[in-house]
Amino acid sequence: MNAPDPALARALRKDPPRSGPRRLWKRVSRAIGDVLPKGLYARSLIIIIAPVVLLQSVIAYTFMERHWQLVTKRLSAAVTADVAALIDIYESYPQDRDSETLSRIAGERLNLDLDILKGAKLPPPGPRPFFSILDEALSDEIKRQIRRPFWIDTVGRSNLIEIRVAIPDGVMRITARRSQAYASNSHIFLVWMIGSSLVLLGVAILFLRNQIKPILRLAAVAEGFGKGREIEFRPRGAREVRQAGHAFIEMKRRIERAMEQRTTMLNGVSHDLRTILTRFRLSLALIEQTEEIEDLSRDVDEMSRMLEGYLAFARGDSAEPATPTDMRALLEDLRTDVERLGAHVSAVDLAGAPEVTVRPGAFRRCLFNLAANAVRYGETVAISGRLEARTFLVSIDDDGPGIPAESREDVFKPFVRLDDARQDAGGSGLGLSIARDIARAHGGDITLHDSPLGGLRATVRVPA
Protein backbone atom coordinates (compact mmCIF):
# COMPACT_ATOMS: atom_id res chain seq x y z
CA MET A 1 0.00 0.00 0.00
CA ASN A 2 1.36 3.42 -0.99
CA ALA A 3 2.09 6.03 1.64
CA PRO A 4 -0.40 8.94 1.79
CA ASP A 5 0.52 12.17 0.11
CA PRO A 6 1.89 14.63 2.74
CA ALA A 7 0.18 17.57 1.04
CA LEU A 8 -3.17 15.78 1.15
CA ALA A 9 -2.66 14.89 4.81
CA ARG A 10 -1.93 18.51 5.67
CA ALA A 11 -5.04 19.60 3.77
CA LEU A 12 -7.22 17.16 5.70
CA ARG A 13 -5.91 18.41 9.00
CA LYS A 14 -7.01 21.69 10.53
CA ASP A 15 -5.06 24.74 9.55
CA PRO A 16 -2.48 25.33 12.36
CA PRO A 17 -2.43 29.16 12.00
CA ARG A 18 -6.18 29.26 12.58
CA SER A 19 -6.29 26.69 15.35
CA GLY A 20 -3.27 28.18 17.16
CA PRO A 21 -4.95 31.39 18.39
CA ARG A 22 -8.03 29.40 19.32
CA ARG A 23 -5.98 26.98 21.44
CA LEU A 24 -4.11 29.90 22.99
CA TRP A 25 -7.38 31.61 23.88
CA LYS A 26 -8.69 28.38 25.44
CA ARG A 27 -5.54 28.05 27.53
CA VAL A 28 -5.71 31.66 28.67
CA SER A 29 -9.41 31.38 29.54
CA ARG A 30 -8.78 28.12 31.39
CA ALA A 31 -5.92 29.70 33.35
CA ILE A 32 -8.09 32.70 34.24
CA GLY A 33 -10.90 30.35 35.28
CA ASP A 34 -8.51 28.46 37.57
CA VAL A 35 -7.42 31.69 39.25
CA LEU A 36 -10.89 33.22 39.67
CA PRO A 37 -12.96 32.14 42.67
CA LYS A 38 -15.52 29.39 42.20
CA GLY A 39 -18.20 30.62 44.60
CA LEU A 40 -21.25 32.58 43.41
CA TYR A 41 -20.81 35.18 46.16
CA ALA A 42 -17.19 35.92 45.22
CA ARG A 43 -17.96 35.99 41.50
CA SER A 44 -20.91 38.32 42.04
CA LEU A 45 -18.66 40.66 44.02
CA ILE A 46 -16.16 40.66 41.16
CA ILE A 47 -18.95 41.45 38.69
CA ILE A 48 -19.90 44.46 40.84
CA ILE A 49 -16.43 45.62 41.90
CA ALA A 50 -14.60 45.25 38.56
CA PRO A 51 -16.77 47.78 36.62
CA VAL A 52 -16.69 50.23 39.53
CA VAL A 53 -12.91 50.04 39.81
CA LEU A 54 -12.53 50.37 36.05
CA LEU A 55 -14.87 53.35 35.93
CA GLN A 56 -13.13 55.07 38.84
CA SER A 57 -9.73 54.46 37.25
CA VAL A 58 -10.85 56.01 33.97
CA ILE A 59 -12.39 59.00 35.76
CA ALA A 60 -9.31 59.50 37.94
CA TYR A 61 -6.96 59.31 34.95
CA THR A 62 -9.10 61.70 32.93
CA PHE A 63 -9.36 64.11 35.85
CA MET A 64 -5.64 63.98 36.56
CA GLU A 65 -4.67 64.34 32.93
CA ARG A 66 -7.26 66.79 31.71
CA HIS A 67 -8.20 68.90 34.72
CA TRP A 68 -5.76 68.72 37.59
CA GLN A 69 -2.63 68.83 35.47
CA LEU A 70 -4.06 71.47 33.12
CA VAL A 71 -5.05 73.79 35.95
CA THR A 72 -1.69 73.33 37.65
CA LYS A 73 0.14 74.14 34.42
CA ARG A 74 -1.86 77.32 33.91
CA LEU A 75 -1.35 78.50 37.50
CA SER A 76 2.37 77.72 37.26
CA ALA A 77 2.55 79.62 33.97
CA ALA A 78 0.91 82.65 35.61
CA VAL A 79 3.34 82.64 38.56
CA THR A 80 6.27 82.15 36.19
CA ALA A 81 5.07 85.10 34.08
CA ASP A 82 4.98 87.29 37.20
CA VAL A 83 8.51 86.23 38.10
CA ALA A 84 9.69 86.93 34.55
CA ALA A 85 8.09 90.38 34.70
CA LEU A 86 9.85 91.15 37.99
CA ILE A 87 13.18 90.12 36.47
CA ASP A 88 12.57 92.33 33.43
CA ILE A 89 11.64 95.30 35.63
CA TYR A 90 14.71 94.75 37.82
CA GLU A 91 17.03 94.70 34.83
CA SER A 92 15.26 97.53 32.94
CA TYR A 93 15.13 100.05 35.81
CA PRO A 94 18.44 99.93 37.71
CA GLN A 95 17.64 103.22 39.57
CA ASP A 96 15.76 101.18 42.17
CA ARG A 97 19.01 100.11 43.81
CA ASP A 98 17.60 98.59 47.00
CA SER A 99 14.68 97.04 45.11
CA GLU A 100 12.27 98.46 47.70
CA THR A 101 9.76 99.59 45.05
CA LEU A 102 10.01 96.26 43.23
CA SER A 103 9.48 94.33 46.45
CA ARG A 104 6.48 96.50 47.32
CA ILE A 105 4.89 96.00 43.91
CA ALA A 106 5.54 92.23 44.13
CA GLY A 107 3.94 92.03 47.56
CA GLU A 108 0.96 94.34 46.99
CA ARG A 109 0.07 93.53 43.38
CA LEU A 110 1.32 89.99 42.82
CA ASN A 111 1.22 88.46 46.35
CA LEU A 112 4.88 87.48 46.01
CA ASP A 113 7.67 87.93 48.54
CA LEU A 114 10.80 89.15 46.69
CA ASP A 115 14.40 89.34 47.90
CA ILE A 116 17.58 90.25 45.97
CA LEU A 117 20.53 88.22 47.25
CA LYS A 118 23.49 90.08 45.74
CA GLY A 119 26.66 88.04 45.31
CA ALA A 120 24.82 84.81 46.20
CA LYS A 121 24.77 81.61 44.14
CA LEU A 122 22.10 79.05 43.51
CA PRO A 123 21.98 76.15 45.97
CA PRO A 124 22.79 72.66 44.70
CA PRO A 125 19.76 70.93 43.22
CA GLY A 126 17.86 68.83 45.73
CA PRO A 127 16.18 65.47 45.20
CA ARG A 128 13.10 65.64 43.01
CA PRO A 129 9.89 64.37 44.56
CA PHE A 130 8.65 60.99 43.29
CA PHE A 131 5.30 62.34 42.14
CA SER A 132 4.71 66.07 41.95
CA ILE A 133 2.74 67.72 39.18
CA LEU A 134 3.69 71.14 40.55
CA ASP A 135 7.44 70.51 40.45
CA GLU A 136 7.29 69.29 36.85
CA ALA A 137 4.92 72.00 35.60
CA LEU A 138 6.76 74.87 37.33
CA SER A 139 10.17 73.70 36.07
CA ASP A 140 8.90 73.46 32.50
CA GLU A 141 7.40 76.95 32.61
CA ILE A 142 10.56 78.55 34.06
CA LYS A 143 12.66 76.88 31.38
CA ARG A 144 10.29 78.08 28.69
CA GLN A 145 9.67 81.68 29.87
CA ILE A 146 12.73 82.74 31.87
CA ARG A 147 15.49 80.60 30.32
CA ARG A 148 17.95 81.18 33.14
CA PRO A 149 19.49 78.95 35.78
CA PHE A 150 17.02 78.43 38.58
CA TRP A 151 16.35 76.46 41.74
CA ILE A 152 12.94 75.64 43.18
CA ASP A 153 11.70 74.07 46.37
CA THR A 154 8.12 72.78 46.31
CA VAL A 155 8.28 70.44 49.31
CA GLY A 156 10.31 72.25 51.97
CA ARG A 157 7.37 74.21 53.37
CA SER A 158 3.97 72.69 52.79
CA ASN A 159 2.08 75.93 52.09
CA LEU A 160 4.86 77.89 50.34
CA ILE A 161 7.07 77.44 47.31
CA GLU A 162 10.43 79.08 46.81
CA ILE A 163 11.89 80.08 43.44
CA ARG A 164 15.47 81.30 42.98
CA VAL A 165 16.63 82.65 39.62
CA ALA A 166 20.19 83.65 38.72
CA ILE A 167 20.63 87.33 37.81
CA PRO A 168 23.85 89.15 36.78
CA ASP A 169 24.69 90.47 40.29
CA GLY A 170 23.31 87.60 42.39
CA VAL A 171 20.10 85.66 42.92
CA MET A 172 16.47 86.78 42.96
CA ARG A 173 14.47 84.81 45.53
CA ILE A 174 10.68 84.74 45.20
CA THR A 175 8.39 83.09 47.73
CA ALA A 176 4.78 82.43 46.78
CA ARG A 177 1.85 80.64 48.32
CA ARG A 178 1.43 77.09 47.10
CA SER A 179 -2.18 77.73 46.08
CA GLN A 180 -1.00 80.36 43.53
CA ALA A 181 0.73 77.73 41.39
CA TYR A 182 -1.05 74.50 42.31
CA ALA A 183 -4.67 73.28 42.28
CA SER A 184 -4.44 72.27 45.93
CA ASN A 185 -8.11 71.35 46.42
CA SER A 186 -8.24 68.91 43.52
CA HIS A 187 -7.35 65.90 45.68
CA ILE A 188 -10.60 66.40 47.60
CA PHE A 189 -12.42 65.20 44.49
CA LEU A 190 -10.41 61.98 44.51
CA VAL A 191 -11.03 61.47 48.23
CA TRP A 192 -14.77 61.92 47.77
CA MET A 193 -14.76 59.64 44.74
CA ILE A 194 -12.92 56.83 46.56
CA GLY A 195 -14.98 57.30 49.72
CA SER A 196 -18.29 57.17 47.87
CA SER A 197 -17.13 54.08 45.98
CA LEU A 198 -16.27 52.30 49.21
CA VAL A 199 -19.69 53.16 50.65
CA LEU A 200 -21.44 51.91 47.51
CA LEU A 201 -19.40 48.71 47.52
CA GLY A 202 -20.18 48.14 51.19
CA VAL A 203 -23.90 48.50 50.55
CA ALA A 204 -23.63 46.20 47.51
CA ILE A 205 -21.77 43.57 49.53
CA LEU A 206 -24.36 43.73 52.31
CA PHE A 207 -27.32 43.34 49.95
CA LEU A 208 -25.56 40.71 47.85
CA ARG A 209 -24.88 38.60 50.92
CA ASN A 210 -28.58 38.67 51.78
CA GLN A 211 -29.39 37.56 48.23
CA ILE A 212 -26.86 34.71 48.31
CA LYS A 213 -28.08 33.29 51.64
CA PRO A 214 -31.38 31.86 50.24
CA ILE A 215 -29.44 30.14 47.44
CA LEU A 216 -27.03 28.57 49.93
CA ARG A 217 -29.98 27.55 52.09
CA LEU A 218 -31.68 25.90 49.11
CA ALA A 219 -28.47 24.04 48.25
CA ALA A 220 -28.10 22.84 51.85
CA VAL A 221 -31.72 21.62 51.96
CA ALA A 222 -31.33 19.80 48.63
CA GLU A 223 -28.13 18.15 49.85
CA GLY A 224 -29.82 17.17 53.13
CA PHE A 225 -32.78 15.69 51.26
CA GLY A 226 -30.38 13.68 49.11
CA LYS A 227 -28.84 12.29 52.31
CA GLY A 228 -32.26 11.34 53.65
CA ARG A 229 -32.45 14.13 56.24
CA GLU A 230 -35.61 16.07 56.88
CA ILE A 231 -34.90 19.82 57.01
CA GLU A 232 -37.49 22.57 57.34
CA PHE A 233 -37.33 24.95 54.41
CA ARG A 234 -39.23 28.10 53.51
CA PRO A 235 -38.37 29.85 50.23
CA ARG A 236 -36.96 33.35 50.67
CA GLY A 237 -35.01 35.88 48.67
CA ALA A 238 -35.55 37.16 45.15
CA ARG A 239 -38.47 36.04 43.00
CA GLU A 240 -36.38 33.64 40.92
CA VAL A 241 -34.86 32.08 44.04
CA ARG A 242 -38.31 31.64 45.58
CA GLN A 243 -39.52 30.03 42.35
CA ALA A 244 -36.62 27.57 42.52
CA GLY A 245 -37.43 26.91 46.18
CA HIS A 246 -41.11 26.22 45.46
CA ALA A 247 -40.11 23.96 42.55
CA PHE A 248 -37.82 22.02 44.89
CA ILE A 249 -40.58 21.66 47.49
CA GLU A 250 -42.99 20.39 44.84
CA MET A 251 -40.39 17.96 43.53
CA LYS A 252 -39.75 16.75 47.09
CA ARG A 253 -43.45 16.17 47.62
CA ARG A 254 -43.77 14.21 44.38
CA ILE A 255 -40.81 12.02 45.28
CA GLU A 256 -42.16 11.37 48.76
CA ARG A 257 -45.63 10.63 47.34
CA ALA A 258 -44.18 8.21 44.79
CA MET A 259 -42.12 6.49 47.48
CA GLU A 260 -45.15 6.25 49.73
CA GLN A 261 -47.24 4.75 46.92
CA ARG A 262 -44.50 2.27 46.11
CA THR A 263 -44.13 1.29 49.75
CA THR A 264 -47.89 0.81 50.10
CA MET A 265 -48.00 -1.32 46.96
CA LEU A 266 -45.05 -3.44 48.09
CA ASN A 267 -46.59 -3.91 51.52
CA GLY A 268 -49.75 -5.19 49.86
CA VAL A 269 -47.81 -7.50 47.55
CA SER A 270 -45.69 -8.82 50.39
CA HIS A 271 -48.80 -9.45 52.50
CA ASP A 272 -50.46 -11.43 49.71
CA LEU A 273 -47.35 -13.46 48.92
CA ARG A 274 -46.66 -14.16 52.58
CA THR A 275 -50.21 -15.39 52.94
CA ILE A 276 -49.74 -17.87 50.10
CA LEU A 277 -46.37 -19.02 51.45
CA THR A 278 -47.94 -19.51 54.87
CA ARG A 279 -50.61 -21.72 53.27
CA PHE A 280 -47.87 -23.74 51.59
CA ARG A 281 -46.11 -24.23 54.91
CA LEU A 282 -49.34 -25.33 56.65
CA SER A 283 -50.16 -27.72 53.82
CA LEU A 284 -46.67 -29.19 53.88
CA ALA A 285 -46.79 -29.51 57.66
CA LEU A 286 -50.03 -31.55 57.46
CA ILE A 287 -48.64 -33.91 54.83
CA GLU A 288 -46.57 -36.92 55.81
CA GLN A 289 -42.94 -35.86 56.00
CA THR A 290 -40.97 -37.55 53.28
CA GLU A 291 -37.76 -36.62 51.54
CA GLU A 292 -39.69 -34.91 48.75
CA ILE A 293 -41.78 -32.92 51.27
CA GLU A 294 -38.61 -31.76 53.07
CA ASP A 295 -37.21 -30.56 49.77
CA LEU A 296 -40.40 -28.63 49.11
CA SER A 297 -40.20 -27.08 52.60
CA ARG A 298 -36.66 -25.93 51.95
CA ASP A 299 -37.77 -24.46 48.64
CA VAL A 300 -40.57 -22.58 50.38
CA ASP A 301 -38.12 -21.23 52.98
CA GLU A 302 -35.73 -20.19 50.25
CA MET A 303 -38.58 -18.50 48.40
CA SER A 304 -39.49 -16.60 51.58
CA ARG A 305 -35.91 -15.37 52.00
CA MET A 306 -35.70 -14.34 48.36
CA LEU A 307 -39.03 -12.55 48.63
CA GLU A 308 -37.85 -10.60 51.66
CA GLY A 309 -34.66 -9.68 49.82
CA TYR A 310 -36.49 -8.48 46.72
CA LEU A 311 -38.95 -6.46 48.77
CA ALA A 312 -36.19 -4.92 50.84
CA PHE A 313 -34.27 -3.99 47.70
CA ALA A 314 -37.33 -2.42 46.07
CA ARG A 315 -38.69 -0.78 49.22
CA GLY A 316 -35.47 0.54 50.68
CA ASP A 317 -35.29 2.23 54.08
CA SER A 318 -36.12 5.81 53.07
CA ALA A 319 -38.91 6.14 55.63
CA GLU A 320 -36.45 5.91 58.52
CA PRO A 321 -35.35 9.35 59.83
CA ALA A 322 -31.67 10.23 60.07
CA THR A 323 -30.42 10.71 63.64
CA PRO A 324 -27.02 11.09 65.32
CA THR A 325 -25.80 7.53 65.83
CA ASP A 326 -23.06 6.19 68.07
CA MET A 327 -20.72 4.48 65.61
CA ARG A 328 -18.75 2.74 68.33
CA ALA A 329 -21.84 0.93 69.62
CA LEU A 330 -23.01 0.16 66.07
CA LEU A 331 -19.65 -1.41 65.13
CA GLU A 332 -19.61 -3.45 68.35
CA ASP A 333 -23.09 -4.78 67.51
CA LEU A 334 -21.85 -5.58 64.02
CA ARG A 335 -18.95 -7.49 65.53
CA THR A 336 -21.37 -9.57 67.58
CA ASP A 337 -23.46 -10.33 64.50
CA VAL A 338 -20.39 -11.37 62.52
CA GLU A 339 -19.21 -13.70 65.28
CA ARG A 340 -22.63 -15.30 65.36
CA LEU A 341 -22.18 -16.11 61.68
CA GLY A 342 -19.13 -18.18 62.62
CA ALA A 343 -16.30 -15.85 61.56
CA HIS A 344 -13.42 -14.59 63.65
CA VAL A 345 -13.26 -10.79 64.03
CA SER A 346 -9.62 -9.85 64.42
CA ALA A 347 -10.13 -6.19 65.38
CA VAL A 348 -12.69 -3.40 65.65
CA ASP A 349 -11.05 0.04 65.53
CA LEU A 350 -12.68 3.47 65.56
CA ALA A 351 -10.78 6.73 65.15
CA GLY A 352 -12.41 10.15 65.33
CA ALA A 353 -15.82 11.38 66.47
CA PRO A 354 -18.07 8.42 67.41
CA GLU A 355 -21.35 10.14 66.40
CA VAL A 356 -22.46 10.42 62.77
CA THR A 357 -25.90 11.40 61.46
CA VAL A 358 -27.28 8.39 59.56
CA ARG A 359 -30.42 6.27 59.39
CA PRO A 360 -29.29 3.73 61.97
CA GLY A 361 -31.36 0.76 60.83
CA ALA A 362 -30.50 1.18 57.16
CA PHE A 363 -26.81 1.85 57.84
CA ARG A 364 -26.61 -1.19 60.10
CA ARG A 365 -28.12 -3.29 57.34
CA CYS A 366 -25.63 -1.89 54.82
CA LEU A 367 -22.69 -2.88 57.03
CA PHE A 368 -24.22 -6.27 57.84
CA ASN A 369 -24.64 -7.13 54.15
CA LEU A 370 -20.97 -6.31 53.54
CA ALA A 371 -19.90 -8.26 56.64
CA ALA A 372 -22.07 -11.25 55.65
CA ASN A 373 -20.45 -11.22 52.20
CA ALA A 374 -17.01 -11.19 53.88
CA VAL A 375 -17.98 -14.07 56.19
CA ARG A 376 -19.26 -16.13 53.25
CA TYR A 377 -15.86 -16.15 51.55
CA GLY A 378 -13.38 -15.65 54.42
CA GLU A 379 -12.63 -16.93 57.88
CA THR A 380 -11.22 -13.74 59.42
CA VAL A 381 -12.88 -10.33 59.31
CA ALA A 382 -11.51 -6.93 60.41
CA ILE A 383 -13.78 -3.91 60.96
CA SER A 384 -12.47 -0.34 61.27
CA GLY A 385 -13.96 3.14 61.19
CA ARG A 386 -12.35 6.56 60.96
CA LEU A 387 -13.27 10.18 60.38
CA GLU A 388 -11.51 11.98 57.53
CA ALA A 389 -12.32 15.66 57.07
CA ARG A 390 -16.13 15.64 56.72
CA THR A 391 -16.47 11.98 55.70
CA PHE A 392 -16.91 8.90 57.89
CA LEU A 393 -15.38 5.68 56.53
CA VAL A 394 -16.03 2.09 57.57
CA SER A 395 -13.76 -0.63 56.15
CA ILE A 396 -14.56 -4.35 56.29
CA ASP A 397 -11.66 -6.67 55.39
CA ASP A 398 -11.62 -10.41 54.85
CA ASP A 399 -9.03 -13.07 53.96
CA GLY A 400 -11.07 -14.66 51.17
CA PRO A 401 -10.19 -15.12 47.49
CA GLY A 402 -11.01 -11.51 46.63
CA ILE A 403 -12.49 -10.13 43.41
CA PRO A 404 -10.58 -9.12 40.26
CA ALA A 405 -10.34 -5.37 39.80
CA GLU A 406 -12.20 -5.43 36.48
CA SER A 407 -15.19 -7.22 38.08
CA ARG A 408 -15.60 -5.18 41.25
CA GLU A 409 -18.26 -2.87 39.82
CA ASP A 410 -20.24 -5.76 38.39
CA VAL A 411 -20.91 -7.32 41.80
CA PHE A 412 -23.06 -4.32 42.76
CA LYS A 413 -25.49 -5.00 39.93
CA PRO A 414 -28.69 -6.81 40.97
CA PHE A 415 -28.70 -10.57 40.41
CA VAL A 416 -25.13 -10.60 39.06
CA ARG A 417 -22.98 -13.50 40.28
CA LEU A 418 -19.34 -14.07 39.43
CA ASP A 419 -18.06 -17.28 37.93
CA ASP A 420 -14.80 -17.33 39.86
CA ALA A 421 -13.99 -18.54 43.34
CA ARG A 422 -16.10 -15.80 44.83
CA GLN A 423 -19.33 -16.89 43.16
CA ASP A 424 -22.38 -16.41 45.34
CA ALA A 425 -23.36 -19.83 46.56
CA GLY A 426 -26.65 -18.71 48.01
CA GLY A 427 -28.92 -15.76 48.67
CA SER A 428 -30.79 -13.60 46.22
CA GLY A 429 -27.83 -11.77 44.70
CA LEU A 430 -29.04 -8.42 46.06
CA GLY A 431 -26.94 -7.99 49.21
CA LEU A 432 -24.26 -5.73 47.74
CA SER A 433 -26.82 -3.87 45.62
CA ILE A 434 -28.88 -3.09 48.70
CA ALA A 435 -25.74 -2.01 50.60
CA ARG A 436 -24.67 0.40 47.84
CA ASP A 437 -28.18 1.83 47.50
CA ILE A 438 -28.25 2.53 51.25
CA ALA A 439 -24.82 4.17 51.13
CA ARG A 440 -25.78 6.34 48.17
CA ALA A 441 -29.07 7.27 49.84
CA HIS A 442 -26.90 8.75 52.62
CA GLY A 443 -24.94 10.77 50.04
CA GLY A 444 -21.98 8.36 50.09
CA ASP A 445 -20.83 5.25 48.23
CA ILE A 446 -19.11 1.86 48.56
CA THR A 447 -15.80 0.98 46.91
CA LEU A 448 -13.89 -2.31 46.77
CA HIS A 449 -10.10 -2.65 47.11
CA ASP A 450 -7.49 -5.23 47.94
CA SER A 451 -7.39 -6.05 51.64
CA PRO A 452 -4.25 -6.20 53.81
CA LEU A 453 -5.58 -9.59 54.97
CA GLY A 454 -5.22 -10.91 51.42
CA GLY A 455 -8.87 -10.81 50.40
CA LEU A 456 -11.29 -7.97 49.72
CA ARG A 457 -11.77 -4.62 51.46
CA ALA A 458 -15.19 -2.94 51.25
CA THR A 459 -15.11 0.74 52.24
CA VAL A 460 -18.30 2.65 53.02
CA ARG A 461 -18.13 6.46 52.78
CA VAL A 462 -20.90 8.66 54.17
CA PRO A 463 -20.94 12.40 54.97
CA ALA A 464 -20.28 13.05 58.64
Side-chain angles (χ1 to χ4, degrees):
M1 184 174 180
N2 297 329
D5 186 6
L8 178 61
R10 286 194 299 271
L12 294 176
R13 291 197 302 266
K14 292 183 178 179
D15 189 14
R18 293 183 180 180
S19 59
R22 187 177 302 173
R23 288 198 300 268
L24 179 61
W25 170 251
K26 288 183 178 179
R27 291 179 182 177
V28 172
S29 60
R30 189 180 299 112
I32 295 175
D34 293 338
V35 174
L36 291 177
K38 303 301 185 292
L40 176 62
Y41 181 60
R43 291 189 174 187
S44 300
L45 286 180
I46 292 178
I47 292 174
I48 295 176
I49 293 175
V52 173
V53 172
L54 181 62
L55 178 62
Q56 299 287 21
S57 301
V58 172
I59 292 176
Y61 176 78
T62 304
F63 177 78
M64 293 281 292
E65 191 70 20
R66 299 288 182 86
H67 177 74
W68 196 0
Q69 191 170 5
L70 180 60
V71 172
T72 300
K73 284 184 176 180
R74 290 183 176 179
L75 292 176
S76 299
V79 171
T80 305
D82 294 340
V83 174
L86 293 175
I87 294 175
D88 291 342
I89 293 173
Y90 177 78
E91 292 180 349
S92 300
Y93 299 95
Q95 62 271 23
D96 188 15
R97 298 179 179 179
D98 297 331
S99 303
E100 294 182 358
T101 303
L102 187 62
S103 299
R104 180 179 57 80
I105 294 174
E108 294 179 357
R109 301 297 183 185
L110 304 177
N111 292 324
L112 300 176
D113 186 7
L114 183 143
D115 291 320
I116 301 298
L117 306 178
K118 294 184 178 181
K121 295 182 179 181
L122 295 176
R128 294 177 63 88
F130 176 73
F131 178 76
S132 177
I133 297 177
L134 173 61
D135 193 281
E136 181 179 356
L138 193 58
S139 299
D140 292 341
E141 290 298 327
I142 293 176
K143 291 177 183 178
R144 186 177 63 85
Q145 297 188 35
I146 299 178
R147 299 178 183 178
R148 297 189 183 195
F150 68 94
W151 178 89
I152 61 174
D153 181 12
T154 60
V155 296
R157 289 176 285 183
S158 59
N159 59 341
L160 298 175
I161 57 174
E162 182 178 348
I163 303 173
R164 297 190 183 188
V165 181
I167 55 178
D169 55 349
V171 172
M172 178 181 290
R173 182 177 66 184
I174 300 97
T175 304
R177 293 193 302 272
R178 191 180 187 87
S179 58
Q180 291 180 253
Y182 178 68
S184 58
N185 294 329
S186 300
H187 65 279
I188 297 178
F189 171 77
L190 297 177
V191 173
W192 275 103
M193 184 176 63
I194 296 174
S196 60
S197 300
L198 293 177
V199 172
L200 292 176
L201 290 177
V203 174
I205 290 172
L206 182 62
F207 278 91
L208 183 61
R209 180 181 298 176
N210 292 332
Q211 295 300 318
I212 294 296
K213 280 183 179 180
I215 301 177
L216 298 177
R217 177 64 178 169
L218 177 60
V221 171
E223 182 180 3
F225 179 69
K227 297 176 182 178
R229 303 174 185 178
E230 187 66 29
I231 302 176
E232 294 184 1
F233 174 66
R234 184 177 180 182
R236 297 180 182 276
R239 179 180 58 189
E240 291 79 4
V241 179
R242 289 198 301 270
Q243 288 178 351
H246 288 299
F248 168 76
I249 292 175
E250 185 62 26
M251 179 196 69
K252 178 174 175 291
R253 289 174 181 172
R254 291 176 181 175
I255 293 175
E256 291 175 344
R257 187 162 53 248
M259 295 173 63
E260 184 180 357
Q261 291 175 354
R262 187 187 67 174
T263 303
T264 303
M265 180 190 68
L266 291 175
N267 287 335
V269 172
S270 64
H271 177 270
D272 295 339
L273 293 179
R274 287 192 185 101
T275 301
I276 297 175
L277 291 175
T278 303
R279 291 176 183 174
F280 285 169
R281 288 195 183 96
L282 290 176
S283 300
L284 293 174
L286 295 176
I287 299 176
E288 182 181 356
Q289 299 298 313
T290 61
E291 185 175 352
E292 291 79 4
I293 298 300
E294 291 179 357
D295 291 338
L296 288 175
S297 298
R298 284 193 294 270
D299 290 340
V300 171
D301 293 338
E302 181 67 19
M303 187 181 297
S304 298
R305 288 193 296 270
M306 293 176 64
L307 175 62
E308 294 297 332
Y310 297 154
L311 293 175
F313 175 73
R315 182 170 58 245
D317 299 276
S318 57
E320 184 183 11
T323 57
T325 304
D326 188 352
M327 288 291 120
R328 192 180 303 278
L330 191 146
L331 294 183
E332 287 296 335
D333 293 342
L334 180 64
R335 174 180 185 172
T336 303
D337 295 338
V338 172
E339 290 177 345
R340 287 177 181 173
L341 295 176
H344 171 66
V345 181
S346 61
V348 176
D349 297 325
L350 178 63
E355 279 199 357
V356 179
T357 301
V358 295
R359 297 197 293 270
F363 193 68
R364 178 189 178 93
R365 183 177 187 184
C366 171
L367 297 181
F368 180 78
N369 287 357
L370 296 176
N373 186 74
V375 171
R376 184 178 293 116
Y377 303 104
E379 298 179 356
T380 302
V381 177
I383 303 172
S384 61
R386 64 186 184 277
L387 188 66
E388 291 185 358
R390 304 174 66 178
T391 304
F392 183 73
L393 293 86
V394 179
S395 298
I396 300 177
D397 298 277
D398 64 66
D399 57 352
I403 298 177
E406 63 274 8
S407 302
R408 289 173 182 171
E409 284 298 318
D410 295 335
V411 298
F412 290 106
K413 299 177 181 179
F415 313 113
V416 172
R417 301 180 182 181
L418 301 180
D419 294 330
D420 56 6
R422 196 146 182 146
Q423 181 177 358
D424 195 350
S428 61
L430 294 172
L432 294 180
S433 300
I434 294 174
R436 171 166 273 189
D437 284 347
I438 294 174
R440 288 181 172 177
H442 284 80
D445 203 351
I446 298 177
T447 54
L448 302 179
H449 307 279
D450 293 330
S451 171
L453 300 180
L456 186 70
R457 164 173 285 186
T459 302
V460 184
R461 299 172 179 267
V462 294

